[in-house]
Amino acid sequence: MEASGAIIREHGSDAVRSIFAVHRHSPVIDALARTPRILDRARQILGSEVYIHQSRINAMPGMVGTGFGWHSDFETWHAEDGLPAPRTVSLSIALTDNFAFNGGLMLMPGAHRVFVPCVGQTPDDNFRESLQKQKVGVPSDDAVTELGLEYGIEQFTGPAGHALFFDSNSMHASSNNITPYSRANVFLVFNSVENAPAAPYGAAAPRPAHIADRDTTPLTPIHNSEFA
Amino acid sequence: MEASGAIIREHGSDAVRSIFAVHRHSPVIDALARTPRILDRARQILGSEVYIHQSRINAMPGMVGTGFGWHSDFETWHAEDGLPAPRTVSLSIALTDNFAFNGGLMLMPGAHRVFVPCVGQTPDDNFRESLQKQKVGVPSDDAVTELGLEYGIEQFTGPAGHALFFDSNSMHASSNNITPYSRANVFLVFNSVENAPAAPYGAAAPRPAHIADRDTTPLTPIHNSEFA
């Protein structure tokens, strides 16, 4: 997987930060995404059949996790992947306990209704750097401040197995993790089949398939998996 | 105050990180430390008359606060300031709301009973760098991991005005603050007059008086201040 670019490491460390396309590599995660308990909720939220635009495990390693700055996923998925509209929802499932203090996801509840224009142009092959530390396609500090003070901040915390759906236009971030408690979550990004990717709206070429899948075949349920 | 070195700024930013000797500069904070509601608790905990070894405001500025790595204050106060024993207690009072997500103090409850030897020698004038980012007199990652997994982690959170006493040998840290919610706390460090500073145990010279006061005159109560 390393050679495919599916593994991203922490800046300044060998620790694994992200692994992409886990639903393609792992039958367990494929079955997880297709269990009706999960799949039917994604279909209900998006109002159509769905497929997986992106899947990943974000491992926020203990002591050295550098976190994720404030951003809306839709900004990148629109500009670099060509998703026409924010008809996309992420599911984060805790693989380890998510505490407030080990890089637990921060969100601004309600702020997904606000579109925050980002400054700058997308450089070619931006994903090679942005998956380690995102520098373009991110909102200004002023925009984050205004939004954060208006909507407030809540964290996704809970023991392993807890899960959260959040809108693709949610403004979210994670602080660093300097505790010994590593935090790992699997993210399944469901996109409506009626929102299939077009040419990127703000980049020269689409990102690789392991980061942004362009196969929009609807997911079919698995009724008798270990997750049912 | 800038010229006196009492103001420390964030690494890579002009934002104020710490202001020292605030009980010497501010009659309000002097009165706060000497109000019986606070002073009598410090005397009770330390079992003697007390004086202020150090006072400071730590301003964890929104968006750019870099946090504080894991450390025990006593390590520095013994090695660089010459306090013989950990007969010293800190009081942190929230000047702004302390959330879990804006650099709220993390502690390992009970771990103050464990002394963690730190590696390395103290360079001359170490405080000039260590108050911005501490690199010596800090425990190893292995020691932090072992202690954190054994004792767990709790955070000091609460609205402005909430306060916490914690032992000088408490292992504590703060994550970074990438939220727009700045976090400012005043810290009053009470030392027993029976634990007066000697020559530093691990440094060539004591730190300046605005960082480590050597005037051990017992604090006298102020009964009719605005804090009474």
Side-chain angles (χ1 to χ4, degrees), chain A residues 63 66 68-70 100-101 106 141 144-145 148-149 152-153 155 173-176 178-181, chain B residues 63 66 68-70 100-101 106 141 144-145 148-149 152-153 155 173-176 178-181:
Chain A
M63 312 300 288
T66 55
F68 295 84
W70 292 100
F101 50 72
M106 299 187 284
D141 280 2
V144 168
T145 299
L149 296 181
I153 293 172
Q155 282 186 280
S174 291
S175 298
N176 60 4
I178 61 171
T179 79
Y181 293 87
Chain B
M63 312 300 288
T66 54
F68 295 85
W70 292 99
F101 51 72
M106 298 186 285
D141 280 2
V144 168
T145 298
L149 296 180
I153 292 171
Q155 282 186 280
S174 292
S175 297
N176 61 4
I178 62 172
T179 78
Y181 293 88

Side-chain angles (χ1 to χ4, degrees), chain B residues 115-153:
Chain B
F115 179 73
V116 179
C118 295
V119 290
Q121 297 287 319
T122 308
D124 289 351
D125 286 350
N126 178 47
F127 67 90
R128 295 186 192 282
E129 183 171 351
S130 70
L131 297 178
Q132 197 175 61
K133 184 172 171 63
Q134 192 171 1
K135 292 177 187 165
V136 299
V138 294
S140 68
D141 280 2
D142 285 351
V144 168
T145 298
E146 191 177 333
L147 218 58
L149 296 180
E150 180 173 354
Y151 289 92
I153 292 171

